[in-house]
């Protein structure tokens, strides 16, 4: 018996090239890429995902997502969100969650998650991209605190204070301004 396996080998080579291209692409992402099975067990993470949280791939692969949740409330939020993706088949975009880094700090992250399906179209897990929003969140919190201090100072002024747009619309007035007018 003789069999020509040239086409099979070409197909395998193309498959390996496609897999290599995929791995190179996700390794270049600044955001972290992850895969869970349906039980919430990590099956794959990129280096960027590991750097974001400070864990090695060996520490994450095979562990459950809930082992890395900050508290039971966050664990339930994550579970409910993923259950929604599973039930509807609709991707989850920009899901904000707080997770702990290995060093104990809090990371504010934003996940986008979709179902992972087998060749037959059956759900077998989840794939997602995680963006670290910690710096943006800290900056927004500082801005909010600064604005609160600013408003508190203005509220304590005995002189009237107002802010008006170029078309004459009041945007802010303090209580003293209201008493005066």
């Amino acid at each position: 018996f003789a069999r020509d396996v040239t086409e099979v080998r070409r197909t395998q080579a193309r498959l390996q090239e496609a897999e290599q291209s995929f791995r190179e692409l996700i390794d270049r992402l600044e955001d972290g890429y992850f895969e869970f099975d349906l039980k919430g067990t990590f099956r794959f993470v990129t280096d960027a995902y590991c750097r974001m949280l400070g864990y090695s791939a060996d520490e994450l692969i095979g562990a459950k997502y809930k082992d890395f949740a900050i508290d039971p409330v966050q664990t339930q939020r994550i579970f409910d969100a993923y259950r929604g993706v599973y039930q509807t088949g609709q991707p989850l975009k920009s899901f904000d969650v707080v997770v702990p880094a290995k060093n104990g700090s809090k990371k504010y992250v934003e996940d986008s998650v979709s179902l992972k399906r087998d060749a037959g179209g059956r759900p077998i897990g989840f794939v997602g991209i995680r963006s670290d929003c910690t710096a943006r969140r800290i900056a927004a919190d500082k801005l909010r605190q600064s604005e609160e201090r600013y408003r508190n100072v203005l509220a304590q002024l005995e002189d009237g204070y107002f802010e008006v747009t170029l078309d004459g619309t009041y945007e802010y007035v303090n209580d003293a301004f209201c008493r005066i007018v």
Side-chain angles (χ1 to χ4, degrees):
F1 290 99
R3 200 167 82 191
D4 185 2
V5 294
T6 306
E7 190 58 35
V8 171
R9 289 200 177 155
R10 282 187 195 141
T11 301
Q12 287 175 337
R14 285 194 306 264
L15 181 60
Q16 287 175 341
E17 287 174 14
E19 176 74 16
Q20 183 64 29
S21 294
F22 169 73
R23 296 292 178 203
E24 288 174 7
L25 172 69
I26 63 172
D27 283 340
R28 288 186 188 131
L29 293 174
E30 187 174 320
D31 294 333
Y33 174 85
F34 61 92
E35 295 180 6
F36 292 157
D37 65 16
L38 291 176
K39 294 181 180 180
T41 304
F42 283 98
R43 293 295 173 208
F44 180 80
V45 292
T46 59
D47 290 341
Y49 188 95
C50 293
R51 281 191 306 274
M52 188 182 305
L53 300 178
Y55 292 98
S56 70
D58 289 340
E59 291 172 297
L60 293 170
I61 304 299
K64 302 264 189 221
Y65 79 91
K66 62 184 174 184
D67 296 336
F68 299 94
I70 215 156
D71 61 40
V73 172
Q74 288 290 338
T75 302
Q76 189 62 46
R77 280 188 70 233
I78 294 168
F79 178 81
D80 291 343
Y82 281 60
R83 181 177 52 198
V85 172
Y86 179 81
Q87 290 173 340
T88 66
Q90 297 298 312
L92 178 65
K93 305 279 187 197
S94 304
F95 175 66
D96 293 324
V97 65
V98 180
V99 294
K102 187 174 182 178
N103 66 11
S105 67
K106 289 181 183 178
K107 291 285 187 170
Y108 298 92
V109 298
E110 189 176 270
D111 289 354
S112 293
V113 180
S114 299
L115 271 178
K116 181 176 183 178
R117 298 179 184 272
D118 66 12
R122 292 176 299 275
I124 59 170
F126 302 94
V127 296
I129 301 288
R130 175 166 282 178
S131 302
D132 186 349
C133 303
T134 304
R136 183 178 71 210
R137 174 76 180 264
I138 289 171
D141 286 347
K142 285 182 180 179
L143 177 61
R144 190 185 79 262
Q145 290 169 356
S146 175
E147 287 175 347
E148 285 175 19
R149 283 193 302 271
Y150 167 73
R151 298 290 181 206
N152 286 335
V153 168
L154 293 177
Q156 300 303 316
L157 288 176
E158 291 185 24
D159 295 329
Y161 178 85
F162 64 93
E163 295 175 6
V164 64
T165 62
L166 292 175
D167 69 0
T169 304
Y170 286 104
E171 292 216 326
Y172 176 81
V173 296
N174 70 354
D175 289 339
F177 180 83
C178 292
R179 283 191 304 271
I180 292 170
V181 297

